[in-house]
Amino acid sequence: MFHVRKKTHAGVTVDQSVNLLATYDYVVCGAGAAGGVVASRLAQMTDASVLLLEAGGDERVEQVEDARRWMSNIGSERDWQFTAEPSTHLAGRRLPLPMGRVLGGGSSTNGLIWARGHRNDFERWAKASGDSRWSYANVLQAYRCIEDWQGTPDVQRRGRGGPMYITKPSDPVPVARALAQACQAMGIPEVDDLNGAAMEGDGACGIANVNVAPDAKRVSVASAYVRPTQQQRKNLTVLLGAHVHRVVLQEKRARAVQFEWRGQVQTVVVGEEVVLSTGAIQTPKILMLSGIGDRAQLQQHGIDCPVHAPGVGANFQDHILVAGCVWEYVSPEPPRNNAAEFTLFWKSHPSLDRPDLQPVLEECAFGSEVTGPAYGLPADRSVAWTLAPGLVRPESRGHVYLASANPHQAPRVDANFLSAPEDVQALMACIKLCRELGNAPEVAPFRRREWMPGPLGEEVMQQWLRQAAGTYFHQSGTARMGTDDGAVVDGQLRVHGVQGLRVVDASIMPEVTTGNTHAPCVLIGEIAAQAMLASHDRVHASASEGGQHGRG
Ligand SMILES: Cc1cc2nc3c(=O)[nH]c(=O)nc-3n(C[C@H](O)[C@H](O)[C@H](O)COP(=O)(O)OP(=O)(O)OC[C@H]3O[C@@H](n4cnc5c(N)ncnc54)[C@H](O)[C@@H]3O)c2cc1C
């Protein structure tokens, strides 16, 4: 049997009401899209004790469970409410960067589109890491185990019977169908499944895959992985309202995790490994607070730096969503399902190896804090619809910096959107594409008038773009996987230069995927769990000579 260490550690505060132990085999920090998966898999597949620490609270509330209400979580207590530094590239604006703060993380608050990423995304990850577990062939297998796909079967690519329920809305708003016809007339093929062969090609449009069960019920990592595991397995302890401060290193090994819970700072000792899954803004912050980061930067904040890792916080990436090209309906039409049922992938230039544009239908008027009031967009969600231009292969790179040594202070995020001229060019092409589609004859029955932006000259349109651009909510890349000096983790997501510490979340993406990032984060959780289970098995097989170990 797997040996559960019982030793205690001075200074550990144990709250008997939740049976918090002094020592856990694994401590997973952050119960989001990736962390919830790793913690669940470790608890399901071993007898090891697993502690899952989540700063947010219970996800079993209507605003999370009702898929149609996903936008109401933005700005609520279930959102970290990060903001980026003001940017000259965005007309001096300070962009909000929402991220989920609740059991399930972004998986519990997101817009429910399931987009797996392009074949070439993963081939490039495999190359960057030198690790074939990220190859497309392997990724396909992993996705097949994750998915419970309700659509047309595709045995090569899609899975059935896995934890994540995925479907296609059967009754999308009628303008979605009209947009698909307009796309076809422009040479953009409509496909039945946007996560099938389409993700190996040049682009397509269609009704999005969504994690919406009957009665508009959200399916998240919390509901599909963490809650069922909690019910079935006693070795998983989930602590809500537990704010991780730092990982305690001794001789470059992760020995303990320090976190605040119920107003007290606690320390739990770790027997095997610590997993940081706190998302692409908090993960680099916690690494730096733990002494892993750029030495000069840490010294400025009086933090000792046993592991100089200049890549921590660098390579920040996000998709850019422009709010948006808006049309007034002829007759009002309330949003349905996830209120974003139609999307397309297309290239701004045929020479690209993957689509770089992903406009999405928003089933309401969608403007920025500048363009919304300027154009008098309506609050009533049934009056207008939006085709929001989206850039999913950005060249711009930002940075997450430590603001202070205080774990309660948010880090400084220089998102650096639109700093690369190529991104501006691609988005200008995307705005043109969206306006052509929205003004196409096929869509005429749903168009009383174009509300925003209308026909503008090149220069004024660029100004509008800088006032309208925002996050697609896909922050990533700040602890990237690779083998070079700037890389933070290896192909098994182990932090370079540290024993017993992995990063498992969107931070590890060397390049953000082509499409929404929830599915790739679930994938990251699964692939990390496989790697951890393999190493767990190796260690315990040799420790028990006979190779016996617990498999629950
Ligand atoms: C509003 C919104 C809409 C989105 N829409 C879509 C969509 O339609 N489709 C899609 O594919 N993707 C979407 N996304 C993105 C997707 O949800 C994220 O890419 C994904 O959740 C990221 O996974 P992660 O594991 O990296 O981090 P997260 O899921 O963000 O998880 C990180 C977890 O760590 C916790 N945490 C952070 N700091 C600490 C700390 N110090 N101590 C303890 N816990 C901590 C957080 O509370 C959170 O639960 C959306 C995101 C948002 C915010």
Side-chain angles (χ1 to χ4, degrees):
M1 291 294 289
F2 178 73
H3 176 63
V4 179
R5 291 170 184 76
K6 294 279 187 206
K7 79 177 173 204
T8 52
H9 183 268
V12 173
T13 314
V14 178
D15 186 318
Q16 294 299 339
S17 64
V18 294
N19 292 327
L20 188 63
L21 305 175
T23 301
Y24 287 84
D25 296 305
Y26 296 100
V27 178
V28 179
C29 307
V37 172
V38 181
S40 300
R41 287 302 192 205
L42 289 171
Q44 288 163 9
M45 305 299 286
T46 71
D47 287 337
S49 53
V50 181
L51 177 64
L52 178 57
L53 298 171
E54 169 54 45
D58 201 310
E59 84 294 1
R60 290 167 297 190
V61 296
E62 207 189 323
Q63 296 92 322
V64 169
E65 290 186 333
D66 183 343
R68 292 164 299 199
R69 299 193 59 190
W70 69 267
M71 287 182 206
S72 67
N73 294 296
I74 297 175
S76 76
E77 73 272 21
R78 288 173 297 281
D79 175 8
W80 284 91
Q81 301 185 32
F82 297 116
T83 44
E85 298 288 292
S87 165
T88 50
H89 305 294
L90 298 172
R93 292 163 61 222
R94 207 183 156 88
L95 285 189
L97 297 172
M99 290 189 86
R101 181 184 185 151
V102 63
L103 189 76
S107 183
S108 291
T109 64
N110 69 21
L112 299 116
I113 292 181
W114 182 259
R116 307 193 326 175
H118 193 273
R119 174 182 52 197
N120 292 347
D121 298 338
F122 301 109
E123 298 297 13
R124 289 176 64 102
W125 287 15
K127 197 164 170 214
S129 61
D131 194 323
S132 63
R133 74 192 75 216
W134 300 102
S135 70
Y136 186 60
N138 198 52
V139 160
L140 274 187
Q141 287 311 312
Y143 269 135
R144 289 182 69 239
C145 299
I146 290 168
E147 292 188 337
D148 188 15
W149 167 234
Q150 306 296 307
T152 311
D154 174 349
V155 285
Q156 248 188 306
R157 300 182 183 84
R158 305 305 307 263
R160 189 74 201 254
M164 287 305 286
Y165 181 96
I166 303 151
T167 190
K168 254 177 64 179
S170 56
D171 57 343
V173 284
V175 71
R177 297 262 183 241
L179 283 166
Q181 284 164 7
C183 278
Q184 282 183 299
M186 280 179 59
I188 303 171
E190 182 185 5
V191 292
D192 174 54
D193 180 9
L194 277 171
N195 282 313
M199 277 294 112
E200 297 162 14
D202 292 333
C205 75
I207 302 302
N209 285 199
V210 293
N211 302 112
V212 184
D215 298 325
K217 210 164 162 50
R218 173 189 292 274
V219 177
S220 68
V221 161
S223 68
Y225 282 83
V226 181
R227 293 299 184 189
T229 310
Q230 233 186 336
Q231 273 177 4
Q232 289 154 14
R233 304 284 304 168
K234 289 199 165 47
N235 56 339
L236 174 65
T237 303
V238 181
L239 223 55
L240 299 179
H243 184 258
V244 174
H245 287 184
R246 66 188 187 104
V247 180
V248 181
L249 302 185
Q250 263 172 21
E251 287 159 11
K252 299 191 182 181
R253 183 177 183 93
R255 295 284 181 195
V257 173
Q258 209 178 66
F259 62 98
E260 197 169 323
W261 188 56
R262 296 185 176 169
Q264 289 200 335
V265 176
Q266 324 256 354
T267 305
V268 285
V269 174
V270 180
E272 303 261 332
E273 293 195 60
V274 176
V275 177
L276 266 186
S277 298
T278 47
I281 292 182
Q282 292 278 58
T283 285
K285 179 182 115 176
I286 296 173
L287 284 170
M288 290 187 270
L289 290 175
S290 311
I292 305 163
D294 179 65
R295 183 159 291 134
Q297 200 195 140
L298 298 200
Q299 275 168 356
Q300 281 171 19
H301 299 289
I303 298 170
D304 206 28
C305 181
V307 183
H308 175 58
V312 171
N315 191 47
F316 175 90
Q317 292 171 55
D318 196 349
H319 296 147
I320 299 176
L321 190 65
V322 179
C325 300
V326 181
W327 287 267
E328 185 178 358
Y329 268 123
V330 173
S331 336
E333 180 74 55
R336 298 186 193 172
N337 296 296
N338 66 331
E341 300 161 298
F342 171 82
T343 190
L344 65 133
F345 294 89
W346 203 235
K347 292 180 180 178
S348 65
H349 196 277
S351 64
L352 297 172
D353 73 335
R354 295 161 277 181
D356 60 334
L357 308 179
Q358 189 198 353
V360 62
L361 169 69
E362 305 277 357
E363 296 166 16
C364 59
F366 175 43
S368 76
E369 79 292 0
V370 178
T371 61
Y375 283 77
L377 294 185
D380 181 342
R381 305 215 300 157
S382 63
V383 172
W385 54 275
T386 303
L387 195 54
L391 176 68
V392 289
R393 298 252 41 85
E395 291 291 329
S396 306
R397 297 286 182 268
H399 207 115
V400 174
Y401 299 98
L402 209 51
S404 82
N406 176 358
H408 290 286
Q409 188 163 357
R412 238 168 22 83
V413 184
D414 178 7
N416 212 17
F417 283 4
L418 299 187
S419 58
E422 299 91 321
D423 291 355
V424 176
Q425 247 175 34
L427 277 168
M428 289 291 281
C430 199
I431 293 167
K432 185 165 177 279
L433 172 68
C434 290
R435 289 196 59 241
E436 275 170 25
L437 288 170
N439 290 322
E442 292 79 2
V443 188
F446 307 97
R447 184 178 64 230
R448 186 186 297 282
R449 65 175 170 124
E450 181 180 356
W451 203 316
M452 182 169 83
L456 305 175
E458 178 81 10
E459 205 177 310
V460 183
M461 189 66 94
Q462 261 205 36
Q463 278 168 18
W464 178 81
L465 166 62
R466 293 187 192 281
Q467 292 171 343
T471 176
Y472 220 134
F473 315 115
H474 300 156
Q475 302 90 348
S476 46
T478 48
R480 75 173 163 85
M481 169 167 70
T483 53
D484 59 301
D485 287 347
V488 177
V489 298
D490 69 8
Q492 297 189 50
L493 310 189
R494 298 173 295 201
V495 175
H496 289 302
V498 184
Q499 298 285 307
L501 178 62
R502 297 192 205 227
V503 171
V504 181
D505 61 26
S507 314
I508 65 96
M509 297 186 187
E511 284 180 346
V512 64
T513 49
T514 304
N516 316 60
T517 43
H518 178 220
C521 288
V522 176
L523 174 86
I524 289 167
E526 286 280 5
I527 291 188
Q530 283 170 11
M532 291 179 73
L533 289 166
S535 106
H536 175 90
D537 283 356
R538 268 196 308 276
V539 170
H540 294 279
S542 55
S544 64
E545 290 175 0
Q548 289 185 337
H549 54 81
R551 277 268 180 221

